[in-house]
Amino acid sequence: MASESFPARGRPTIPARNLKLEPPVTPKPQFHPLRVREIRRETPDAVSLLFDVPAALRPDFSFQAGQYLTLKADINGEDIRRNYSICSAPLDDELRVAVKTLQGGRFSTYANQVLRAGDTLEVLPAAGRFTAAFAPHRAAAYAAFAAGSGITPILSIIKTALATEPQSRFTLFYGNRHSGQILFLETLAALKNRYMERFEVYHFLSAEEDDIELFNGRLDAPKCRDVLAHLVDAAAISQFFICGPEAMMAAAEAALLDSGVPPGAILLERFSATPIDPAYAARALASARAAAGRRIGVVLDGRKSTIIFDAALGNILDSARAAGMAAPFACKGGVCATCRAKIISGAVDMNVNYGLTPDEVQAGYILTCQASPRGDDVVISYDV
Ligand code: FES
C-alpha cells in the first residue's frame, strides 16, 4: 500500500505538459538486504517479522508511526514485492512488520510458511503518509477504525500517540471475525493497562456473539453510525485513522463525513486498490487498447530510452520493465506511489490514483502502473 491520506478517486487525465528535463534531485530509495532476526506467530494466520538493521543503515530505516516497508523476494523465480505496515513504534527501537496470510497471496504465504529466521529479504526504507506529527505539548483526542490486519499501522500510531503526548487520548474500534484472529490482542490489552485513563478499545466480532448487541457484527455502515452515536463524540476528535478492508474503510469514512467530521480530520491507509467503480476494468482496458503501440520516452537513472506501449501489459510501468528498464514498483495497484514518475511532455490517462496528492498530480506526477499514453509525444522521468 501508499498510502494515501485523502484519495483522489476517479480517473484523472493528466494535462499535456512541456516541461524542461530536470536532473535527478532526490536519490531514489534503494532496496537493502536485511536479515530477519525473528519470526513471531501472532495469530494462526499472521506472523510478525523483526529485522536486523545494521548501524550503517539505521538512518535509512528510521520511520514514523503508521508507515510501511516494501519487501522484495524471489519466489519461485519471480520478483514479488509487497508493502507491509510497521507494527512497532519508533520509540520501540525495533523494525517489525506484520504479515497476514491472504488466500492465494504469494508473498504472505511465503512469509508465513517458508521464510525462516536468519533469512534475508530485500527491503525499501519506510514510506507512507498515514501518520501524524505527534508532539509532547499536544492534548488531543484521536480515534481509529481498524479491521483485521488494518490494525498494524494503527498499533504503531496508538503506541506513539500515547507515549509522546501524555495529555492525549486514543479510542480504537477494532473489527474481526473471531476472537482467535485478533491481531495484537495482548499488546492492546497491555496498552489498556498502561494507559487506563487515556486508551479505550472496543472489539467488534462478526462470527461470535457478545451480550451487547452493539459489539456483534462487522464495522459496516450502520455499525459505524451506531459507534458514532453511542461510543464517541466525533466532534471532539481531532484526527481519525482508518485502515482495513475497502468496504469497512468506505463505511467508516462515510459515517464520519455524514456526522460532520471534516475531510481533513480523516486519514485512510490502503494497501490494495479494490476499485469501487465497477467500470474500472472496462476503462482500463479501453485506455490500454487505445494506447497500443505508442512510443514513450522514459528517463531512468539519467538515461533516456524509447519504449513501445504494450496494450497486453496495460500500463507504462510494465511496458518499461518488459523493455528491460528497472523501473521501480511495489503494489501495482495505484496505492503506494513507488512507481511515481513525472511527465516531461505529452499527456497520459490514469485508471486509479490512491497514491498521489492533488498537488502532485497538478505538478505532473503520475503513477506509471496506472498510466497509458494519450499520444506518441509522451516523455516521463522517474528521476525527478
Ligand atoms: S502505485 Fe504502487 S506500484 Fe504503482
Side-chain angles (χ1 to χ4, degrees):
M1 74 186 168
S3 35
E4 43 78 63
S5 312
F6 307 104
R9 293 210 173 98
R11 183 195 189 218
T13 293
I14 311 302
R17 305 182 68 81
N18 192 12
L19 305 175
K20 193 165 168 276
L21 197 64
E22 298 164 18
V25 286
T26 349
K28 286 275 173 190
Q30 300 289 327
F31 280 98
H32 296 282
L34 293 186
R35 182 176 167 275
V36 179
R37 187 197 309 169
E38 180 191 59
I39 301 177
R40 188 165 72 200
R41 183 138 302 279
E42 302 286 354
T43 65
D45 60 357
V47 291
S48 66
L49 312 180
L50 172 66
F51 291 101
D52 270 334
V53 182
L57 289 179
R58 282 186 167 246
D60 295 85
F61 284 97
S62 63
F63 64 94
Q64 293 173 269
Q67 290 194 303
Y68 63 86
L69 298 177
T70 300
L71 310 185
K72 178 169 87 157
D74 184 306
I75 302 174
N76 298 328
E78 203 178 333
D79 174 348
I80 308 284
R81 307 173 186 203
R82 295 288 184 272
N83 298 330
Y84 291 104
S85 286
I86 300 169
C87 53
S88 48
L91 51 87
D92 291 335
D93 197 28
E94 67 173 29
L95 188 64
R96 185 185 287 272
V97 298
V99 183
K100 182 175 180 182
T101 306
L102 298 177
Q103 196 171 9
R106 280 176 294 175
F107 202 109
S108 62
T109 303
Y110 171 78
N112 273 267
Q113 297 179 7
V114 180
L115 192 67
R116 295 286 174 257
D119 289 350
T120 294
L121 290 174
E122 295 285 324
V123 185
L124 272 185
R129 304 189 193 104
F130 188 64
T131 187
F134 299 108
H137 65 272
R138 292 196 72 199
Y142 304 103
F145 287 82
S149 58
I151 189 62
T152 308
I154 287 174
L155 178 66
S156 178
I157 287 170
I158 292 170
K159 286 197 266 189
T160 304
L162 292 172
T164 309
E165 300 184 354
Q167 301 171 80
S168 291
R169 306 176 55 80
F170 211 111
T171 305
L172 170 66
F173 308 106
Y174 185 16
N176 283 280
R177 277 178 59 73
H178 298 277
S179 48
Q181 289 178 322
I182 300 177
L183 202 47
F184 304 121
L185 180 62
E186 288 177 14
T187 307
L188 291 168
L191 284 169
K192 176 67 192 155
N193 278 341
R194 181 167 177 187
Y195 301 108
M196 201 139 344
E197 303 296 321
R198 299 194 290 124
F199 180 44
E200 287 179 294
V201 53
Y202 298 98
H203 290 283
F204 299 80
L205 296 176
S206 58
E208 279 180 34
E209 288 275 312
D210 189 280
D211 290 344
I212 302 172
E213 181 54 31
L214 178 60
F215 301 121
N216 294 327
R218 293 174 188 280
L219 285 169
D220 56 11
K223 187 67 70 183
C224 289
R225 285 197 295 270
D226 282 351
V227 164
L228 295 177
H230 300 292
L231 298 179
V232 68
D233 175 9
I237 302 295
S238 53
Q239 186 72 62
F240 284 92
F241 302 90
I242 306 175
C243 187
E246 182 68 40
M248 183 283 278
M249 292 205 296
E253 182 184 23
L256 290 172
L257 293 172
D258 286 351
S259 68
V261 175
I266 306 170
L267 270 174
L268 298 99
E269 177 74 330
R270 287 187 171 82
F271 285 105
S272 64
T274 308
I276 296 171
D277 182 351
Y280 163 81
R283 277 202 321 247
L285 191 61
S287 287
R289 282 190 178 147
R294 286 183 179 149
R295 294 158 65 85
I296 311 161
V298 179
V299 179
L300 178 66
D301 297 333
R303 294 183 56 183
K304 183 179 170 191
S305 307
T306 299
I307 63 164
I308 303 297
F309 185 83
D310 185 334
L313 296 174
N315 59 69
I316 292 175
L317 170 73
D318 283 334
S319 298
R321 291 188 66 83
M325 303 186 78
F329 72 94
C331 73
K332 290 194 179 178
V335 177
C336 72
T338 307
C339 66
R340 187 182 86 155
K342 192 170 187 178
I343 296 184
I344 305 301
S345 67
V348 307
D349 289 324
M350 277 206 295
N351 296 316
V352 295
N353 167 30
Y354 295 111
L356 298 174
T357 63
D359 283 352
E360 288 171 321
V361 172
Q362 188 61 32
Y365 286 99
I366 60 168
L367 300 174
T368 55
C369 74
Q370 298 296 315
S372 51
R374 301 186 80 194
D376 273 314
D377 56 346
V378 170
V379 178
I380 63 159
S381 174
Y382 285 98
D383 289 352
V384 293

